[in-house]
């Protein structure tokens, strides 16, 4: 119901604000400031979000891209905003508020870019396929990004841009290769939920 959805989002928003910028190096203690964005996705559901996004005009998407992107980059560059998972020890009420605005603007920016790319035609279908494997990349990217950065440092390469570009590429390509190998070898459990959980999730989705 709408009341339950509103209550859920209100509680998770309050929780996210309370721990914004804090990051405990224990299981389940990292990234808690981002909880509200996770629950926004849960409440909206992918089907409903796609329905809304498809109705947005290209002109509005471009405007959203420019405004949200400008806000996101400006707050990030000026360091006025507290990131959701760092610098919590020096956070203030205003920096947390600006951090929420910056993170929200970043989400809107990415959605606007995705919408515009989706309307460019079949030339970006490869990117859509990469996006469909975003959970795979999220789960396994750290093994490749960390090892790549260590390797670059060991051979004396300290350029920030090289570290960012090469590590990012490794963090995307590496997990996709592992996923492809797991599928070919029939080891679906590596990245996929058990069959019983997938069936239960499918029933819940159909009931909505």
């Amino acid at each position: 119901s709408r009341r339950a959805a509103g209550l859920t989002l209100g509680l998770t928003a309050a929780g996210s604000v309370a721990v914004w910028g804090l990051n405990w190096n224990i299981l389940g203690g990292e990234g808690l400031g981002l909880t509200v964005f996770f629950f926004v996705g849960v409440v909206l559901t992918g089907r409903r979000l796609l329905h809304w996004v498809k109705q947005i005009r290209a002109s509005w998407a471009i405007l959203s891209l420019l405004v949200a992107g400008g806000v996101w980059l400006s707050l990030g560059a000026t360091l006025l905003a507290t990131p959701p998972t760092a610098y919590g020890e020096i956070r203030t009420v205003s920096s947390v508020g600006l951090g929420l605005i910056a993170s929200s603007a970043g989400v809107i920016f990415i959605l606007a870019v995705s919408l515009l790319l989706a309307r460019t035609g079949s030339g970006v279908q490869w990117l859509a396929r990469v996006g469909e494997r975003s959970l795979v990349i999220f789960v396994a990217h750290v093994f490749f990004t960390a090892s790549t950065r260590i390797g670059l440092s060991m051979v004396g390469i300290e350029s920030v841009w090289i570290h960012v570009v090469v590590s990012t590429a490794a963090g995307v390509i590496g997990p996709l290769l592992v996923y492809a190998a797991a599928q070919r070898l029939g080891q679906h459990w590596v990245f996929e939920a058990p069959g019983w959980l997938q069936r239960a999730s499918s029933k819940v989705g159909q009931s909505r």
Side-chain angles (χ1 to χ4, degrees), residues 189 192-199:
W189 59 270
E192 296 181 4
W196 64 267
L197 185 57
Q198 292 188 42
R199 289 190 292 272

Side-chain angles (χ1 to χ4, degrees), residues 66-134:
L66 295 175
V67 174
V71 171
W72 181 35
L73 292 174
S74 297
L75 291 176
T78 57
L79 302 179
L80 295 174
T82 297
T85 59
Y87 305 113
E89 64 277 4
I90 57 173
R91 67 179 186 164
T92 64
V93 173
S94 60
S95 71
V96 170
L98 291 174
L100 282 164
I101 292 173
S103 296
S104 300
V107 172
I108 294 172
F109 173 78
I110 295 300
L111 287 174
V113 170
S114 301
L115 173 61
L116 293 172
L117 285 174
R119 294 183 178 178
T120 59
S122 58
V124 293
Q125 287 303 310
W126 64 272
L127 187 58
R129 286 193 288 271
V130 172
E132 290 172 354
R133 302 290 177 242
S134 57

